[in-house]
Amino acid sequence: MISQNAIDTLRKAEIGARGLFIDGVRIEATSGASLPVTSPIDGRPFASIADGNAADIDRAVKSAREAFEKGSWSRAAPAFRKKVLTKFAELVEKHADELAVLGVRDNGTEIGMAYKAEPLSTAGTIRYYAEAIDKVYGEIAPTADNVLGLIHKEPLGVVGVIVPWNFPLMIGAWKIAPALAAGNCVVVKPPEIASLTLLRLAELASEAGLPPGVLNIVTGRGAVTGEALGLHMDVDAIAFTGSGPVGRRLLEYSARSNLKRIFLELGGKSPNIVFADAPDLKQAAVVSANGIFRNSGQVCVAGSRLLVQAAVYDRFMDELLSATTRLKVGDPLDLASDVGAVSSAEQLNKNLGFVARATEEGARLVTGGERILTETGGSYMAPTIFENVTQDMQLAREEVFGPVLGVMRFETEEQAVRLANSTVYGLASAVWTANLSTAHRMVRAINAGVVHVNTYGGADITVPLGGVKQSGFGRDKSLHALEKYLELKTAWIAL
Ligand code: NAD
């Protein structure tokens, strides 16, 4: 774990102006324009990034295509790619302190969580796909004897990666690592409010021996650089994590350009269901509070809808309130903080808008609901719980992506399933029960990419992550994610 001393030194590091990373080198944006980077910790600017445009995306895609055609990566032996990616993972681990603090200055995640979720898990993801890639075989089809049907697995070509600001490194690595391992060349468009760690990641990849052009980073505004990547005629696929509206735009861009394939990991409104026979109500309350409030609720799988069975409702709510009020919200670079800052002032205002609307619609505020620590100049919000939430309220239907929990009461299992599935989303969920049959029935009944049982939010790289319904399609993580970045080609050989 990182020490407070290391954090206090690194938080003062001068960052300055950061350029784009194209063809293995840092360069200025074509326009020479830049965007300030403001820290949500204190509301002050501490760096700037290049404000890329369509011409910069085009430069990056050309560099990626040339690298792909050259073949020094795309046609290299998987064992070579494994060697470079393993070295890359080692460098990420070596620079874990630097990457973690840089990321927290950018997006405000509490350092305890950021350290594990960002550099450490990123290194683990890169290593996982490095180790996997020389174990991927083609196939021989079971044809008649007079032909040989071979199924080759080939890289797609140029893959675009667009990620959100909550965990840019971790989510970026879920896409970049399997895409690279499979032999593709990649152009990343980082989120405009948290680009710094991905820029540094590309430098480390280069240091590890990744050939120029194989991994490029173009910073800038989503509506400009993201759109240019989406519309580019020479991009073969885009792996996206972010909001539903932008996901829909990417599908349109694809339709209007070259029909590039689009993989979407979108939002959620995930139900966390507590049955009266939950094995340990206190533990369930602590984990549930963490499951919505860590990283200020800016977690795609956050358990933002809590459904509690009536028989234990009052007891559970007491435990939940006490677990919530024990969470220390504060400077994300203080190891003692449980919850850091909301990523930006704009996001904080959006969250407060949800609070106002929930109150108007008749939900009862149990705790929180306001901006706190205003004297810091940063964007901090008290963990917020509303009860008496009903299905027609905005809070039950729309993703807040902030520290706001809506609680509902249910009587029967059937009612819990109905409420759980009454959303356009289907990303994550959880069920707390000591009854094995109830647990398995709920796993089958809930329409979501993951159902946790007697825990919330646990996972590792070995299991897929992704949603159903309007939470998107395509899976990150696990060996299944590799399939997205490999094309099947048939060879039909008359013998
Ligand atoms: P967002 O959709 O606003 O932005 C995501 C990315 O898209 C950013 O890099 C942004 O610059 C870019 N972008 C913006 N406009 C674009 C355009 N017109 N064309 C192309 N790209 C564009 O989302 P956000 O606010 O950064 O992140 C929050 C959202 O991400 C939430 O909905 C959250 O649930 C979702 N999310 C999902 C997962 C998951 O795994 N399913 C994980 C984390 C976050």
Side-chain angles (χ1 to χ4, degrees):
M1 188 53 188
I2 191 167
S3 70
Q4 192 63 53
N5 269 348
I7 296 169
D8 293 341
T9 308
L10 284 163
R11 73 184 299 163
K12 294 182 206 124
E14 279 294 322
I15 308 301
R18 291 286 161 112
L20 311 171
F21 191 84
I22 297 179
D23 218 23
V25 288
R26 280 190 192 190
I27 52 165
E28 288 264 302
T30 314
S31 68
S34 62
L35 298 169
V37 179
T38 303
S39 178
I41 299 177
D42 54 12
R44 296 208 191 106
F46 70 102
S48 69
I49 51 167
D51 186 12
N53 61 21
D56 297 310
I57 286 288
D58 194 46
R59 281 199 287 177
V61 173
K62 281 203 172 95
S63 163
R65 178 60 64 189
E66 273 168 32
F68 187 78
E69 298 295 339
K70 210 162 132 200
S72 56
W73 184 255
S74 53
R75 289 196 298 278
F80 170 77
R81 297 204 291 262
K82 169 181 175 167
K83 200 167 147 208
V84 174
L85 291 175
T86 303
K87 172 93 176 119
F88 180 20
E90 280 165 18
L91 285 174
V92 172
E93 249 161 21
K94 190 171 151 203
H95 292 269
D97 286 9
E98 174 203 340
L99 286 164
V101 174
L102 186 62
V104 172
R105 291 173 76 186
D106 224 357
N107 75 355
T109 304
E110 54 276 8
I111 185 77
M113 179 181 235
Y115 187 70
K116 287 190 209 134
E118 288 281 88
L120 292 197
S121 105
T122 295
T125 299
I126 297 168
R127 187 171 289 119
Y128 178 85
Y129 289 107
E131 285 169 356
I133 198 59
D134 61 354
K135 284 108 189 154
V136 174
Y137 289 77
E139 294 162 21
I140 298 178
T143 60
D145 210 33
N146 61 342
V147 287
L148 177 62
L150 297 179
I151 303 167
H152 292 268
K153 293 184 179 171
E154 300 186 337
L156 306 178
V158 176
V159 173
V161 167
I162 304 180
V163 289
W165 39 258
N166 56 340
F167 296 104
L169 267 192
M170 176 179 80
I171 296 173
W174 289 345
K175 301 167 193 312
I176 296 167
L180 289 180
N184 299 282
C185 295
V186 174
V187 177
V188 182
K189 199 232 74 75
E192 47 269 62
I193 62 167
S195 297
L196 298 172
T197 50
L198 281 163
L199 285 166
R200 188 72 186 105
L201 189 78
E203 290 173 354
L204 296 174
S206 202
E207 198 180 321
L210 203 72
V214 175
L215 177 61
N216 306 278
I217 314 279
V218 181
T219 54
R221 284 158 293 148
V224 178
T225 45
E227 179 176 283
L229 195 60
L231 286 171
H232 204 288
M233 292 300 288
D234 204 23
V235 172
D236 298 290
I238 291 193
F240 173 79
T241 294
S243 63
V246 177
R248 283 166 200 269
R249 289 212 172 151
L250 285 167
L251 293 172
E252 277 175 37
Y253 299 153
S254 168
R256 278 165 50 199
S257 57
N258 62 344
L259 295 179
K260 58 181 69 63
R261 55 190 80 177
I262 304 287
F263 307 114
L264 299 179
E265 297 287 349
L266 308 174
K269 193 77 212 176
S270 301
N272 179 20
I273 306 165
V274 181
F275 282 96
D277 67 351
D280 180 343
L281 275 189
K282 188 170 180 166
Q283 165 75 356
V286 170
V287 176
S288 298
N290 285 331
I292 173 65
F293 297 129
R294 295 300 303 276
N295 197 20
S296 301
Q298 302 165 134
V299 178
C300 56
V301 296
S304 54
R305 283 189 302 146
L306 177 67
L307 314 184
V308 187
Q309 200 158 25
V312 290
Y313 187 88
D314 292 339
R315 251 175 72 210
F316 187 80
M317 288 303 285
D318 286 348
E319 296 289 0
L320 181 72
L321 185 60
S322 107
T324 302
T325 46
R326 276 200 306 273
L327 291 172
K328 181 175 181 292
V329 182
D331 179 356
L333 286 172
D334 180 346
L335 280 169
S337 298
D338 299 307
V339 177
V342 173
S343 64
S344 66
E346 190 192 357
Q347 191 67 26
L348 176 64
N349 285 335
K350 211 174 127 207
N351 296 344
L352 295 174
F354 273 93
V355 168
R357 174 92 178 261
T359 311
E360 269 164 42
E361 290 185 340
R364 192 183 87 80
L365 182 65
V366 177
T367 185
E370 60 192 355
R371 181 179 177 192
I372 53 172
L373 305 173
T374 37
E375 68 285 2
T376 61
S379 321
Y380 299 87
M381 182 166 170
T384 300
I385 302 176
F386 278 99
E387 64 178 356
N388 299 346
V389 173
T390 53
Q391 199 46 46
D392 52 327
M393 293 181 187
Q394 182 198 38
L395 193 58
R397 289 180 286 107
E398 292 179 28
E399 183 186 44
V400 180
F401 215 57
V404 185
L405 175 67
V407 188
M408 294 166 151
R409 193 190 287 252
F410 71 90
E411 302 279 347
T412 64
E413 184 179 319
E414 193 199 350
Q415 204 186 356
V417 170
R418 199 165 358 98
L419 283 172
N421 288 338
S422 298
T423 160
V424 298
Y425 294 111
L427 189 55
S429 60
V431 179
W432 298 82
T433 175
N435 184 317
L436 199 61
S437 303
T438 310
H440 282 291
R441 273 198 309 273
M442 292 300 284
V443 168
R444 289 185 183 180
I446 295 176
N447 211 353
V450 57
V451 184
H452 301 98
V453 178
N454 295 333
T455 185
Y456 198 95
D460 72 19
I461 188 66
T462 58
V463 288
L465 173 86
V468 297
K469 301 199 280 183
Q470 291 182 34
S471 290
F473 46 81
R475 293 290 180 267
D476 278 332
K477 301 167 62 193
S478 84
L479 292 179
H480 294 287
L482 261 179
E483 293 158 17
K484 294 194 305 197
Y485 303 102
L486 287 164
E487 182 66 281
L488 300 180
K489 181 192 273 174
T490 298
W492 186 258
I493 303 166
L495 297 179

